[in-house]
Amino acid sequence: MIRVLLADDEELIRVAVAALLDLEPDVEVVAHAADGPAAVSAALAHRPDVAVVDLEMPGLDGIAVAAELTRVRPDCAVVVLTGHGRPGHLRQALTAGARGFLPKGAPGGALADVIRRVHAGGRYVDPSLAADALTLPPCPLTPRELETLRLAEVGAPVAVIARRVHLSTGTVRNHLSAAVQKLGAADRAEAVRTARDNGWL
């Protein structure tokens, strides 16, 4: 039997996916989790072979859970499920150690097939997302512009960002302004969204 952990903050989806997987003769759902930290704890307690995690969860998102499980339970393959995956998410998930990336709109039996594949040591990436990821443009931002934009994402004021990166407030403003301009964004928030969607942050 392939032991599976399901992590999704929406109980209805978690229960429905568990019911589907219970129909498979070689798959057993051994634990459920409603957020990222609970998923990591459940993986340590129940030692599943495969963790199926939602991309967007409270506490830790699916990418952060994949990274943590790769560190603390490298023998547990992670499959990230997403309702609206973007190519940038795919790149981040694979970099974090996920072995599968599947949209929630996939056919019913697809998840069980992906679980079997990653349990056997393989990988699975949704073909349409993979094709989109191959056509992503390279990041136009410098490492400093990315760093300041990442700090601005959490709402840090310019003065705080300047202290953290050991630059003057004027230089930080220049980096943020350059990032907004290079990404064709109307403001900082839109620049952050664009960079996040493309997997640059």
Side-chain angles (χ1 to χ4, degrees):
M1 293 290 280
I2 303 171
R3 295 166 53 81
V4 175
L5 158 69
L6 292 179
D8 194 306
D9 59 326
E10 295 182 52
E11 185 178 3
L12 183 62
I13 290 177
R14 216 169 49 240
V15 170
V17 171
L20 273 175
L21 292 178
D22 281 342
L23 299 174
E24 302 293 331
D26 57 343
V27 175
E28 178 187 10
V29 176
V30 296
H32 292 246
D35 59 42
V40 174
S41 296
L44 292 172
H46 297 276
R47 305 195 66 75
D49 302 307
V50 178
V52 177
V53 301
D54 187 23
L55 177 64
E56 295 181 1
M57 291 187 294
L60 296 170
D61 66 10
I63 293 169
V65 169
E68 184 63 11
L69 290 184
T70 299
R71 188 179 71 78
V72 300
R73 282 288 323 279
D75 55 331
C76 177
V78 178
V79 175
V80 176
L81 280 184
T82 176
H84 37 71
R86 296 184 177 91
H89 293 146
L90 168 60
R91 184 183 294 165
Q92 291 171 335
L94 295 178
T95 300
R99 301 198 55 83
F101 196 89
L102 185 69
K104 288 181 179 176
L111 178 57
D113 291 340
V114 171
I115 287 170
R116 291 184 190 102
R117 183 181 297 194
V118 300
H119 181 251
R123 291 182 180 272
Y124 178 84
V125 173
D126 177 67
S128 62
L129 279 174
D132 289 345
L134 291 172
T135 61
L136 276 179
C139 180
L141 306 180
T142 67
R144 273 295 200 202
E145 290 163 354
L146 273 174
E147 185 179 18
T148 54
L149 197 58
R150 186 174 289 112
L151 290 169
E153 178 183 21
V154 296
V158 170
V160 171
I161 296 172
R163 279 197 302 277
R164 286 194 187 162
V165 296
H166 307 291
L167 296 172
S168 72
T169 55
T171 302
V172 168
R173 280 193 190 93
N174 288 343
H175 283 319
L176 291 172
S177 177
V180 168
Q181 185 178 9
K182 286 179 180 180
L183 297 178
D187 55 27
R188 237 181 261 174
E190 187 181 337
V192 166
R193 278 194 303 276
T194 300
R196 175 76 52 203
D197 289 349
N198 282 286
W200 300 327
L201 280 181

